[in-house]
Amino acid sequence: MTETASMSPAQEALDAGERLLTRRAAELGLTVESKPNYAGRIFAGGSDTPSARLEPRDLPNHVRGLQIGRYAVLLTLLPEAPDEEGISDVVRRVRNQCVVARSHLSAPAALDLHTILLGPRGSEGVDRWRALALIAERDERVARKLVWLRPLDPSADEQSFADFVKRSFLARPWITDAIFSMAPLDNVSRAAVYGDVPRDTAGEWIRLASESDVDPDLLVEELVVSWRRRSAR
């Protein structure tokens, strides 16, 4: 029996999700590394004692740990049945797994920890599943949680996943082939006249946004820092 033939549906779902994540990351120039420790039972630095590990009943049945660029990611599954009690149990287990993963991360890196939960085949477009997915995503304790509800037809996975990542850390709305003018930046300058934005802040924003080859993530951080130190008006 081949490895593929013996693969469980859960493993197949995780494999498919990991392939799509890896492909999207490659498009963005991000590296992807397998991080089994994130999906393990033992806390970093702990010995194999009861106090240093969690029991399987307190962790997801199927989970993988990945490092995508600067983002630590746990990839796991929602239950097969659209049951609120089952979702609550999965979210509880996921939170515990996030605690294990965070023990392997520095404090700044832990802030970027995400969990992606894959819905069962055919859950996309189902009202009950959408409501349960919101319950899972609204629980932001320990880490950010995102749910991809998969379509019934596997051939629709790529488009469905592309729509999903638009609201994830893999979204890049600033990458576009559209041509923009300097009008939006001019509007920032005009806003300063009416006191909405201090002139020195508006000028700094324009300077930062006009720099060539600026890293988008760094640009956002610099704009936020500029706003925080704006002149009192």
Side-chain angles (χ1 to χ4, degrees):
M1 183 178 293
T2 65
E3 182 180 350
T4 301
S6 63
M7 189 176 296
S8 71
Q11 290 174 318
E12 290 178 354
L14 290 178
D15 275 356
E18 186 173 344
R19 282 195 300 271
L20 289 167
L21 280 170
T22 301
R23 187 182 308 168
R24 175 58 178 164
E27 292 171 356
L28 301 176
L30 301 176
T31 58
V32 179
E33 298 177 67
S34 175
K35 292 290 185 179
N37 287 343
Y38 296 173
R41 295 173 51 198
I42 302 173
F43 294 102
S47 57
D48 191 14
T49 62
S51 61
R53 67 173 184 264
L54 294 176
E55 296 301 319
R57 65 176 178 273
D58 294 319
L59 296 169
N61 293 327
H62 305 280
V63 60
R64 293 184 185 175
L66 302 169
Q67 186 72 38
I68 303 178
R70 75 167 192 262
Y71 297 93
V73 177
L74 293 172
L75 184 65
T76 187
L77 305 173
L78 290 180
E80 287 296 314
D83 175 71
E84 187 167 346
E85 184 176 347
I87 292 291
S88 296
D89 184 58
V90 165
V91 171
R92 175 187 67 83
R93 292 171 180 244
V94 165
R95 284 199 303 265
N96 291 337
Q97 191 69 69
C98 289
V99 174
V100 174
R102 285 173 68 102
S103 74
H104 294 273
L105 299 169
S106 65
L111 297 176
D112 288 325
L113 176 62
H114 282 66
T115 296
I116 296 177
L117 300 99
L118 308 183
R121 178 65 67 193
S123 55
E124 183 183 59
V126 178
D127 289 342
R128 179 60 175 163
W129 272 117
R130 282 200 294 258
L132 294 174
L134 285 174
I135 291 175
E137 291 189 339
R138 285 171 180 166
D139 186 316
E140 295 196 343
R141 286 173 285 182
V142 190
R144 176 80 188 279
K145 301 171 186 68
L146 297 168
V147 174
W148 174 36
L149 297 177
R150 295 186 296 154
L152 181 62
D153 185 354
S155 66
D157 277 359
E158 290 193 18
Q159 183 57 54
S160 176
F161 187 79
D163 293 336
F164 162 73
V165 296
K166 289 177 182 177
R167 57 187 184 85
S168 78
F169 64 92
L170 293 172
R172 294 295 186 273
W174 53 84
I175 299 178
T176 176
D177 294 329
I179 299 174
F180 297 94
S181 71
M182 293 296 288
L185 295 179
D186 292 339
N187 289 338
V188 171
S189 296
R190 287 197 293 272
V193 176
Y194 298 99
D196 296 319
V197 180
R199 288 185 179 276
D200 54 348
T201 302
E204 189 170 12
W205 282 356
I206 293 173
R207 178 183 60 78
L208 291 170
S210 300
E211 291 180 357
S212 60
D213 300 324
V214 62
D215 179 78
D217 291 331
L218 181 59
L219 173 60
V220 171
E221 293 176 6
E222 290 180 342
L223 291 173
V224 172
V225 170
S226 174
W227 177 252
R228 286 175 179 168
R229 64 169 178 256
R230 65 189 182 279
S231 303
R233 291 282 178 103

